[in-house]
Amino acid sequence: MIRRHKGFSLLEILVAFAIMAVALTIVLRIFGAGVNTAVISEEYNLAVQIAESILARTGVETPLQAGESAGTEADKYAWLVRITPVAEPPAAGRRFQPRQDQSPAQPSRKLMKVSVRVSWGDAAERQRSVQLDSLRMIQEPVL
């Protein structure tokens, strides 16, 4: 009578555990990278919301004057607002010339560039930032 052993040998079990360990390591790295990407995406989303909010307030709650202002939100996001005048194109390059009316002096319009930069992160090499730019028209009072 020939007797057959039913079951696995020790070598087969060790090989199976090694394959399972490699597979689990790969799967955990994939999930870890996915979670990290989701966290970074949420940070960018919040930074864009902060920048949009500050951009919407500029010129409404704060005057639209050339200069810079800075602050922080939620003790994590630092923001910087930079307002600069936009240079007008030379008169010779304009397609249409404004009419010279005999009416009293009208307020002049000026185009301003508003840049909002929101940055966050711990170290300089891991610093992340979002910048939104917009153009706003202001009327300068007649003197």
Side-chain angles (χ1 to χ4, degrees):
M1 246 197 209
I2 299 176
R3 194 168 181 207
R4 291 190 178 180
H5 295 283
K6 293 185 179 180
F8 297 105
S9 70
L10 182 60
L11 183 61
E12 291 172 329
I13 291 175
L14 288 176
V15 169
F17 274 127
I19 292 171
M20 187 173 61
V22 169
L24 282 176
T25 302
I26 292 170
V27 168
L28 288 177
R29 283 189 182 174
I30 290 171
F31 283 130
V35 169
N36 189 29
T37 302
V39 169
I40 291 171
S41 175
E42 184 63 31
E43 289 175 345
Y44 272 104
N45 192 12
L46 188 55
V48 168
Q49 289 177 358
I50 291 170
E52 286 176 342
S53 173
I54 293 170
L55 193 60
R57 289 189 317 220
T58 304
V60 177
E61 293 179 5
T62 58
L64 201 58
Q65 297 174 345
E68 291 184 353
S69 61
T72 59
E73 290 282 331
D75 295 330
K76 181 178 182 178
Y77 298 93
W79 54 266
L80 173 70
V81 177
R82 181 176 291 133
I83 302 172
T84 56
V86 176
E88 288 190 29
R94 292 185 184 167
R95 262 179 103 175
F96 302 102
Q97 296 295 328
R99 278 191 341 193
Q100 299 297 331
D101 291 337
Q102 298 298 329
S103 62
Q106 296 181 355
S108 65
R109 293 187 176 100
K110 195 173 189 182
L111 194 60
M112 303 293 273
K113 178 182 177 186
V114 180
S115 296
V116 178
R117 177 181 290 272
V118 178
S119 55
W120 70 98
D122 296 333
E125 69 236 12
R126 296 201 147 218
Q127 188 80 15
R128 292 187 165 89
S129 66
V130 170
Q131 181 169 334
L132 299 180
D133 297 323
S134 179
L135 295 174
R136 302 283 170 93
M137 183 77 69
I138 62 170
Q139 288 187 355
E140 293 182 327
V142 178
L143 299 175

